[in-house]
Amino acid sequence: MTTFSDASNFPGLSESEVKKILKNDGYNELPSQKKQSSLMLFLKVLSEPMLLILLGSGLIYFLMGEPKDAMMLLVAVFVVIGITFYQERKTERTLESLRSLSSPRALVLRDGKQIRIAGREVVKGDLIVIREGDRVPADATILSCENLSVDESLLTGESMPVRKSVWDGKLEQQRPGGDDLPFIYSGSMVVAGRAIAKVIQTASRTEIGKIGKSLEDIKDEDTLLHKETAKIVRYVGIIGAILCLLVVLFYVLVKNDLIQGLLAGLTLSMAVLPEEFPIVLVIFLTLGAWRISKKKVLTRRPAAIETLGAATVLCTDKTGTLTLNKMELTSLYTKNSFCEISDCAATELPAKFHDLLEYGILASQKDPFDPIEKELSGVGDLYLQNTHHLHKDWNLFKEYPLSKELLALSHAWKIEDKKDFVIASKGAPEAILDLCHVSAKEREETLKVVAEMSGKGLRVLGVAKAISSKNELPKNQHDFTFEFVGLFGFIDPTRSAVPNAVQEAYEAGIRVIVITGDYPGTAQSIAKKIGIKNSEEYITGDQLAKMSDSQLKEKIKTVNIFARVVPEQKLAIVNALKANGEVVAMTGDGVNDAPALKAAHIGIAMGERGTDVAREAAALVLLTDDFSSIVAAVRLGRRIFDNLKRAMGYILAVHVPIAGMSLLPLFFNFPIVLFPAHIAFMELIIDPACSTVFEAEKEDEGIMKRSPRKINQSMFNFKTVLINLLQGSGLLIATFALFVFAIKSGRTEMEARSFAFASLVLANLLLIVVNLSWNKNIFQIIMKANKTFFVAVIGTLIALFAVIYVPFLADLFHLAPLYLNDFLLIIFAISVGLVWFEMLKFFRFRYIS
């Protein structure tokens, strides 16, 4: 029988030994993550090619004697840099959270005395004293223990505490998980009993430290959205550079004016380059993060929202994610009768089950920490309150702890004014039946009941009772004459919203995979309840360990349940899915989930029950641990991508007339139309403001009925690019025609420029309307437009009238006032430029995303 020796038998290390070990090994803490300095981060932001080009353009304009125009451009550039810098400054704090978790207070034996120290001061070789409710400060071997159970779910994902035993001096350290091992691990929680253990690993050498190291080695991947926008910017940048060079050559060869050629060429390149893209991207993702926060989802990395919309696989842990991570008593069995708690009245339990509940409580601690014992105590308070079956005044005389030989524990209670002892025992059904010395037939019948209950995913415990009238209690539980009382069935209940959320995920084309450290039978039972497909097949951690990467890649195409896995295997599963071309979202709440959360395309941590480590490693955090919030996040991710695609298409279209009006007047020997101030105005004010209109647009009907987009699907396909270019070309023709009309009709250069500038600004608004939907006509769109649209229209018109009619601004922008008839002519011309697209809609052109 396992015993707990007195602490005086273990003198522990001396202070001099501790100092020597600390000098060699360092403190019991994980190394801090290296933080980037503000300067390094600023330089990283500036390394974006587009920002470098714009910054260089602004400086060239300044050196060429155009300080006002240069300042306008540089302000726009530094606004983009400021926003990006702010976003990038939110760095990962995963290792800091690990460091905090792995360094609790610790009670150690040194120089024969018990002293309380900071967990970071524990050293290898220290003797630590742990009791119920303590968090283990370091990996250690157990020298002495009594009834010790430890919750290792942070490291293994197993929902139930595991029993511990005394080290025999031979067994080498093993991984967490499984009963009767003589090792305890940093970060785990003692739920029952007490022990003295010798520290064998500290800091990054512990199991939790190894997880921290794996997190450090995992590199973040660029999101799909960032890759796509970078590609667009690169292509357009090349086009802009070529056009810039052609304009400079034209001015040098035809007009023999290098300076003017450089100015015109840089202006054109600025008009072509999509400077708005980073601003639009930040607007969409920031507002998207705000919107999703209303669904109780915290966004740590906003770009992951868009990626979630492309997710094809959702890997979810079982404990605390699909379930509530608590033991709920659901079934009682005694004397060939079952009782389901759900069938009982609020405070009434059939009398024949009172003894079973009574002795189950007597076999537990008075003030329990263990989740099963807590549940028994709570159910007892509910159903036995006004009966003689509760004995809060009884005194516990002796405990018989669990052991490897007998998986049952017994409590001996002394009744006041009586000589008799009441013995209550609970434990594994087989062990309880062994204590009761039942007949072979009764044993067989009872074990059939146990198998039936286990098949429902229940954790089954047996209960027995005995009376002893001896003055001295025996040393062994087997010496009592026990009577079998009955069985308890506990379950970790599923979250009520999970089945519907799983069904919605399937409708959206998203496969759901359960990855857990729990047993296969339990995982299968939960999977069937929530509607996981192909729940008959599963792979265990042992089977997984024997598979090659290629075998795992093949098997993972159909298997949706992985049980009894360790952290490294969770990471291997995520990597295998990614190797198969899947876009992987991973949910989790424990330390063991952190590497997989960080490696997945989208890591989703549980906020209520999740650890700091999981939350810091994840991109999204479910604040209420509501699995259905993931579906809302997927919906929002798809909406963001659709609306962003429309916004980017609009920007592409609007750049055609802007670039054209920077280029065409040069070849027809007309005055320059656009200066950097005009381009900065449209890019910094109009485009970002208008992009918020697209962001606020509601999702299309049936957005969750379609399959996820492919990971390599381009934001722009040939059809959308062609339509957007034609839109821009129509407006370019209208704007250039207005400019030529103004010149030919005798208007001044500034008036003609006002014609063109006002035409471009109003064309922006018209492009927004027609691109909000490629299915509805312009009148339907305006009637159902979101509020942001009207705010953008009013704001844009106010800014337009200000730069035309306020003398200071008009002088800065080189513009002259226009008349009412001029505006009517402009509206008519740009409407004609897009009438073809409305006709195309009339013939039921369908938007293809």
Side-chain angles (χ1 to χ4, degrees), residues 662-682:
S662 299
L663 183 61
L664 287 179
L666 304 180
F667 290 100
F668 288 92
N669 204 26
F670 288 129
I672 293 177
V673 176
L674 298 178
F675 293 113
H678 304 128
I679 297 174
F681 176 90
M682 286 183 281

Side-chain angles (χ1 to χ4, degrees), residues 280 316 385 567 578 618 655 759 780 787 804 807 836:
V280 171
T316 174
Q385 192 62 52
K578 290 168 68 176
H655 267 271
S759 177
Q780 291 173 320
K787 294 180 181 179
I804 291 178
W836 65 271

Side-chain angles (χ1 to χ4, degrees), residues 204-467:
S204 58
R205 296 170 291 277
T206 62
E207 290 297 316
I208 199 173
K210 293 174 184 176
I211 293 176
K213 184 69 171 84
S214 68
L215 283 174
E216 199 175 38
D217 294 339
I218 297 172
K219 305 301 181 183
D220 290 325
E221 294 184 3
D222 285 339
T223 65
L224 306 177
L225 187 57
H226 280 107
K227 292 176 182 177
E228 185 68 24
T229 52
K231 182 172 69 175
I232 294 170
V233 169
R234 185 168 63 251
Y235 289 160
V236 177
I238 293 172
I239 294 172
I242 294 172
L243 290 176
C244 175
L245 180 60
L246 291 175
V247 169
V248 173
L249 289 175
F250 173 80
Y251 265 83
V252 172
L253 298 176
V254 177
K255 299 187 177 183
N256 198 27
D257 191 342
L258 176 61
I259 300 299
Q260 193 65 27
L262 286 172
L263 286 171
L266 289 172
T267 302
L268 176 61
S269 64
M270 288 166 54
V272 171
L273 281 174
E275 297 92 339
E276 311 88 351
F277 276 10
I279 297 178
V280 171
L281 190 56
V282 169
I283 289 172
F284 264 75
L285 298 183
T286 302
L287 291 179
W290 170 72
R291 290 184 191 282
I292 202 172
S293 68
K294 293 183 176 181
K295 305 292 184 182
K296 303 299 182 182
V297 179
L298 172 66
T299 306
R300 296 194 65 255
R301 287 188 284 278
I305 300 175
E306 176 274 330
T307 311
L308 185 60
T312 59
V313 175
L314 175 58
C315 297
T316 174
D317 192 14
K318 177 187 71 68
T319 306
T321 306
L322 301 177
T323 66
L324 295 173
N325 194 23
K326 70 175 187 179
M327 284 291 107
E328 185 177 290
L329 179 62
T330 60
S331 301
L332 297 90
Y333 172 83
T334 187
K335 299 177 182 177
N336 298 320
S337 296
F338 274 106
C339 176
E340 299 297 326
I341 295 292
S342 58
D343 296 334
C344 297
T347 57
E348 294 182 9
L349 181 72
K352 68 188 307 182
F353 295 95
H354 286 189
D355 274 2
L356 174 60
L357 190 53
E358 173 188 3
Y359 282 95
I361 294 171
L362 287 174
S364 306
Q365 298 292 330
K366 272 193 173 183
D367 185 18
F369 189 84
D370 181 86
I372 282 182
E373 295 186 351
K374 275 187 175 181
E375 175 70 1
L376 287 174
S377 178
V379 174
D381 288 342
L382 180 64
Y383 291 116
L384 303 180
Q385 192 62 52
N386 298 316
T387 71
H388 64 279
H389 293 281
L390 286 181
H391 311 287
K392 298 193 184 248
D393 57 333
W394 284 13
N395 295 316
L396 181 63
F397 187 80
K398 184 176 178 64
E399 293 183 58
Y400 294 87
L402 286 164
S403 67
K404 285 183 181 181
E405 294 76 23
L406 185 65
L407 301 179
L409 61 85
S410 299
H411 286 174
W413 299 87
K414 178 68 175 176
I415 306 173
E416 291 186 8
D417 303 325
K418 292 186 178 181
K419 294 182 179 180
D420 294 342
F421 292 93
V422 174
I423 318 299
S425 182
K426 76 175 191 299
E430 295 85 353
I432 295 297
L433 291 172
D434 186 38
L435 280 177
C436 295
H437 303 289
V438 299
S439 66
K441 181 180 179 181
E442 185 179 352
R443 180 182 179 88
E444 182 181 353
E445 291 176 350
T446 304
L447 289 180
K448 283 183 180 179
V449 175
V450 171
E452 180 184 342
M453 295 174 71
S454 298
K456 298 177 182 178
L458 300 180
R459 168 76 184 272
V460 185
L461 287 182
V463 177
K465 66 178 181 179
I467 300 292

Side-chain angles (χ1 to χ4, degrees), residues 770-828:
V770 299
N771 282 293
L772 278 175
S773 173
W774 283 17
N775 295 323
K776 302 173 183 177
N777 64 52
I778 190 170
F779 301 106
Q780 291 173 320
I781 294 172
I782 293 175
M783 289 296 293
K784 295 185 178 182
N786 55 71
K787 294 180 181 179
T788 313
F789 168 75
F790 297 104
V791 173
V793 170
I794 293 171
T796 300
L797 291 177
I798 290 174
L800 174 62
F801 292 146
V803 298
I804 291 178
Y805 295 107
V806 175
F808 170 75
L809 294 176
D811 179 61
L812 180 63
F813 281 82
H814 311 287
L815 300 175
L818 295 174
Y819 302 100
L820 178 60
N821 289 340
D822 297 333
F823 279 105
L824 293 176
L825 180 60
I826 290 171
I827 293 172
F828 173 77

Side-chain angles (χ1 to χ4, degrees), residues 33-46:
Q33 189 176 19
K34 293 183 179 179
K35 295 183 178 179
Q36 297 184 76
S37 66
S38 296
L39 177 61
M40 291 300 294
L41 190 55
F42 186 75
L43 293 176
K44 178 183 176 183
V45 175
L46 275 181

Side-chain angles (χ1 to χ4, degrees), residues 471-483:
N471 292 330
E472 188 173 330
L473 292 176
K475 294 182 178 181
N476 197 304
Q477 298 179 72
H478 268 292
D479 294 333
F480 293 109
T481 304
F482 278 104
E483 176 188 347

Side-chain angles (χ1 to χ4, degrees), residues 545-559:
K546 299 174 183 176
M547 290 183 183
S548 64
D549 291 343
S550 58
Q551 288 176 321
L552 178 58
K553 284 172 60 178
E554 188 62 32
K555 282 282 187 181
I556 210 168
K557 292 179 180 178
T558 56
V559 177

